[in-house]
Amino acid sequence: MLYFQLVIMAGTVMLAYYFEYTDTFAVHVQGFFCYDTTFTKPYLGPEDSSAVPPFLLYAVVSGLPTLLITITETVMFLIQYTSKEFDRSEKSVATGDCCYLNPLVRRTFRFLGVYTFGLFIVDIFVNAGQVVTGNLAPYFLTVCKPNYTALGCKQAVRYISHQEACTGNQDDILRARKTFPSKEAALSVYAALYLAMYVTCTVHAKGTHLAKPVLSLGFMCLALLTGLNRVAEYRNHWSDVLAGFFIGSAIATFLVVCVVHNFKGKLLLSDESPAELPTNPGVLSMGRVESPLEKYIASQNHITFAEVT
């Protein structure tokens, strides 16, 4: 199953790469009416000049969840490691069984793996929507710079549907044709909702009844401000931002509920004692050894660590 999951992850990354950095999928050329005020908003410069530039957004949606999940899982492990539950546990494992992986490492990498997979899925959904619809940005006519005289727009309002109508910079024009749904809105709300549900479902320490909702609402507020900024800078329409919010929220909810099961799962060890291993006279039998890892695994009868598939 691990190799199968790696193949799926590699295919997802490759598809996202082809959407993002190649012209394999041509953008639909949507027409426009002459002097349409919907698309004559001012162009405030490339994306790097935005109040929320791409490098900042990508750094936050990739770095913040990694840092938060890693720190949270480590703190939970240390708290359980030092608790009295280890002393009350009498479970043991044979040192010859070498196929155990530290639950801390497994949980951290699986939660982050599911999150990373979701990021690429959001990117694919957004890019597919932008390529298929070809919706025009609010500043489209500003960068398109159509020759209205040559297009015959002086006498009557005409619908222009051919790509050669634009005389502006081709890169700016192409970017202005890819606005629905908003990628920034989708990625930001996906990261915010995933982290909010992770904090709510995972952290059960005393004194966090108010801290958890405040932290979760803070994440959602940042995502909302990102969408509002896209509209305020005339880079997206309201419909683009709302569609991005819907896609990001839907994918985050699906992954948390159906894949990681609200970050809860089966116990690593059942209450029943494990069956005795068959003995082999030709092999020297090894005694049972009590170790921190053994104690940590045994403690999972008290704290549930999710088996994420």
Side-chain angles (χ1 to χ4, degrees), residues 215-237:
L215 189 61
S216 300
L217 291 176
F219 293 145
M220 299 304 298
C221 182
L222 291 177
L224 178 62
L225 291 177
T226 301
L228 293 176
N229 177 74
R230 300 297 297 180
V231 177
E233 293 185 347
Y234 306 117
R235 301 183 186 277
N236 288 104
H237 302 281

Side-chain angles (χ1 to χ4, degrees), residues 19-150:
F19 266 119
E20 192 75 29
Y21 299 105
T22 68
D23 56 356
T24 304
F25 305 97
V27 180
H28 171 69
V29 178
Q30 187 178 111
F32 58 91
F33 287 97
C34 299
Y35 304 105
D36 190 344
T37 56
T38 306
F39 308 118
T40 57
K41 299 298 187 293
Y43 178 53
L44 301 182
E47 293 290 339
D48 292 338
S49 62
S50 172
V52 186
F55 73 88
L56 176 60
L57 176 67
Y58 297 153
V60 171
V61 300
S62 60
L64 180 60
T66 301
L67 186 64
L68 179 63
I69 293 177
T70 302
I71 292 177
T72 303
E73 293 296 326
T74 303
V75 171
M76 290 174 57
F77 169 76
L78 294 177
I79 291 176
Q80 294 298 327
Y81 183 79
T82 57
S83 68
K84 295 182 179 180
E85 293 182 0
F86 288 101
D87 298 331
R88 294 196 299 266
S89 301
E90 298 295 337
K91 300 290 184 178
S92 61
V93 296
T95 57
D97 192 352
C98 61
C99 299
Y100 286 110
L101 181 63
N102 191 314
L104 168 64
V105 177
R106 182 172 65 249
R107 275 176 57 92
T108 303
F109 274 89
R110 286 186 175 179
F111 289 160
L112 290 177
V114 172
Y115 175 78
T116 304
F117 175 76
L119 278 181
F120 286 107
I121 292 297
V122 170
D123 186 78
I124 291 174
F125 269 74
V126 170
N127 281 313
Q130 293 177 350
V131 167
V132 171
T133 61
N135 275 22
L136 307 179
Y139 62 85
F140 174 76
L141 290 180
T142 304
V143 298
C144 176
K145 300 177 182 178
N147 189 337
Y148 291 117
T149 303

Side-chain angles (χ1 to χ4, degrees), residues 32-35 148-149 151-160:
F32 58 91
F33 287 97
C34 299
Y35 304 105
Y148 291 117
T149 303
L151 296 174
C153 295
K154 291 296 183 180
Q155 302 298 327
V157 177
R158 297 184 57 187
Y159 182 76
I160 311 300

